[in-house]
Amino acid sequence: MNKKNHEIPEWAFEFHGHRCPAMPLGYLAGMYAMQLLGVEKEKDTNTFVFSETGDEHHQGCFDDGVQIATGCTYGKGNYKRLQYGKIAIVLYKPGKGAVRVKPKPEILDSCSTFEFFKYRKSGIPASQVPREVADEVIGYVLSKDFEELFTYEFVKNFEFSPEKKTMLRIKCDDCGEPTYENYIKIFNGKKLCPRCYEIERGRRK
Ligand SMILES: [Zn+2]
Ligand SMILES: [Zn+2]
């Protein structure tokens, strides 16, 4: 068994739902990016992660690990998937700068040689892979130093201005459901939620 350089909190696996190597890899990428930028885990929404993963490939589990580590989350709106189909993140905090962290290709390749992926390729979901098989590849990831796992670069002149968020809800004139004002659409003088707007527009045709 390899020495362990890092610990992943057990609640991270509970939140994620199963034991796989991509979530811990994301967790460590997030920790490393925070260390490089000199920032703490984000409690609110003043730090941002731009993840280069996409919706249509495996290893999106990486994003859960990054969110757990950085506190930049999909729900708070400071976590964006760029749909590039790559495993890399940019961590950005205004005033602190931006850093891009990516796993080394050889790390991704050597993870793929573990038995865990034989199970996955034969269609077995990660939660059904025997614990010791999953923990073998997770142990491999955790045995490596940040420098062995990742490369990084500081991104110069990185700029991003978040959307202004609203607290004001308006009742849709059709369904009566409260809808945030910036999502309301006007149709025939009515204020509509996007769903009722689509229905009304369909009737018109
Ligand atoms: Zn996973
Ligand atoms: Zn409506």
Side-chain angles (χ1 to χ4, degrees), residues 3-197:
K3 72 182 162 71
K4 254 195 193 178
N5 268 328
H6 311 277
E7 292 282 345
I8 308 288
E10 201 49 40
W11 72 264
F13 290 104
E14 275 169 38
F15 170 81
H16 183 54
H18 62 220
R19 301 180 80 81
C20 72
M23 186 280 279
L25 193 63
Y27 181 89
L28 298 180
M31 296 298 277
Y32 191 34
M34 289 193 297
Q35 184 183 303
L36 290 164
L37 215 53
V39 299
E40 304 271 298
K41 180 174 177 176
E42 177 59 50
K43 294 190 174 80
D44 301 305
T45 54
N46 303 311
T47 313
F48 303 87
V49 168
F50 299 87
S51 170
E52 298 183 14
T53 61
D55 292 333
E56 293 169 18
H57 60 77
H58 283 290
Q59 296 190 319
C61 297
F62 182 83
D63 287 315
D64 274 354
V66 178
Q67 290 178 82
I68 288 162
T70 61
C72 298
T73 68
Y74 182 74
K76 285 192 291 188
N78 52 345
Y79 198 97
K80 315 271 183 206
R81 244 184 195 175
L82 298 177
Q83 305 295 341
Y84 291 175
K86 301 205 275 187
I87 311 288
I89 51 163
V90 173
L91 181 75
Y92 168 63
K93 184 162 192 176
K96 288 280 188 180
V99 65
R100 181 172 186 259
V101 172
K102 64 173 183 196
K104 291 181 178 171
E106 56 267 33
I107 290 290
L108 295 176
D109 287 346
S110 47
C111 279
S112 301
T113 65
F114 278 81
E115 206 186 345
F116 178 85
F117 288 98
K118 279 191 201 130
Y119 283 84
R120 296 291 293 112
K121 279 176 193 148
S122 69
I124 293 169
S127 66
Q128 308 290 311
V129 175
R131 166 92 183 227
E132 61 275 15
V133 172
D135 281 355
E136 186 192 16
V137 64
I138 293 169
Y140 168 76
V141 170
L142 298 184
S143 73
K144 300 281 178 195
D145 298 327
F146 286 144
E147 294 75 18
E148 293 176 291
L149 291 171
F150 306 108
T151 51
Y152 70 90
E153 58 184 313
F154 289 99
V155 187
K156 291 203 180 83
N157 305 318
F158 190 92
E159 279 190 45
F160 169 72
S161 316
E163 305 277 318
K164 273 257 182 295
K165 292 188 185 187
T166 183
M167 285 195 182
L168 183 68
R169 287 183 297 264
I170 290 175
K171 272 189 184 159
C172 168
D173 282 334
D174 274 9
C175 69
E177 291 181 357
T179 306
Y180 283 100
E181 54 163 350
N182 43 353
Y183 291 84
I184 290 281
K185 293 168 188 282
I186 307 292
F187 191 82
N188 283 344
K190 290 198 281 190
K191 291 176 180 165
L192 300 175
C193 73
R195 196 164 65 97
C196 293
Y197 174 78

